[in-house]
Amino acid sequence: MIVRTLKDCQNSERRVVSENWESVRMLLRDDNMGFSFHITTIYADTETHIHYQNHLESVYCMSGEGEIEVVGGETYPIKPGTLYILDKHDEHYLRAYKDAPMEMACVFNPPITGAEVHDENGVYPLVD
Ligand code: 9YT
């Protein structure tokens, strides 16, 4: 059994900050669960290009509002209670509207190690 609190994880190297978002990786590859689990804050009034070519991701919105635009496809609203599932490694633009950040719970398969950063194409590398 493993038990962690968001507060403890925030006060550790599990909290990673980037230009448009920050993410607290509460569960990582070295926990051997087959997935990773993150609490991610998408800053208000931002647009992020993301393309997880090596990972599947599901994202549940807990607060805030925005939208996800699939490149070459539809745009879907995101609000509290919305789960989006990138089952086709969908390349997308993630936008948080200007009034408030979006608080998201994210699951990655395969799990990330915690060291990855988005490259210039919005991709996380697959770490051996
Ligand atoms: C929703 C999303 O993919 N945001 C980017 C950060 C990611 N969730 C992470 O690395 O924790």
Side-chain angles (χ1 to χ4, degrees):
M1 166 81 82
I2 302 166
V3 178
R4 296 185 179 123
T5 67
L6 180 60
K7 194 170 174 197
D8 285 348
C9 293
Q10 282 168 331
N11 292 322
S12 76
E13 60 189 20
R14 292 177 179 280
R15 177 170 175 258
V16 174
V17 179
S18 81
E19 193 184 339
N20 289 355
W21 52 264
E22 60 184 71
S23 188
V24 183
R25 280 74 178 268
M26 297 189 72
L27 175 64
L28 286 167
R29 189 177 72 171
D30 63 3
D31 292 311
N32 295 314
M33 291 291 287
F35 58 88
S36 57
F37 179 83
H38 319 185
I39 298 296
T40 299
T41 303
I42 310 292
Y43 298 149
D45 203 17
T46 59
E47 175 184 270
T48 308
H49 175 232
I50 300 176
H51 192 189
Y52 294 125
Q53 296 177 32
N54 302 309
H55 298 81
L56 299 169
E57 187 195 25
S58 294
V59 180
Y60 178 78
C61 178
M62 299 182 288
S63 66
E65 277 192 40
E67 64 184 20
I68 179 169
E69 178 183 349
V70 180
V71 173
E74 275 189 65
T75 299
Y76 301 89
I78 300 172
K79 52 183 78 167
T82 303
L83 175 71
Y84 67 82
I85 302 162
L86 302 171
D87 63 329
K88 298 187 173 60
H89 302 279
D90 314 69
E91 181 179 6
H92 60 280
Y93 289 93
L94 182 60
R95 301 185 186 102
Y97 294 155
K98 64 174 187 254
D99 293 336
M102 289 196 295
E103 303 284 347
M104 322 287 258
C106 314
V107 175
F108 276 80
N109 171 25
I112 71 163
T113 66
E116 295 89 343
V117 286
H118 286 180
D119 69 13
E120 68 281 6
N121 298 313
V123 179
Y124 281 150
L126 199 54
V127 178
D128 290 330

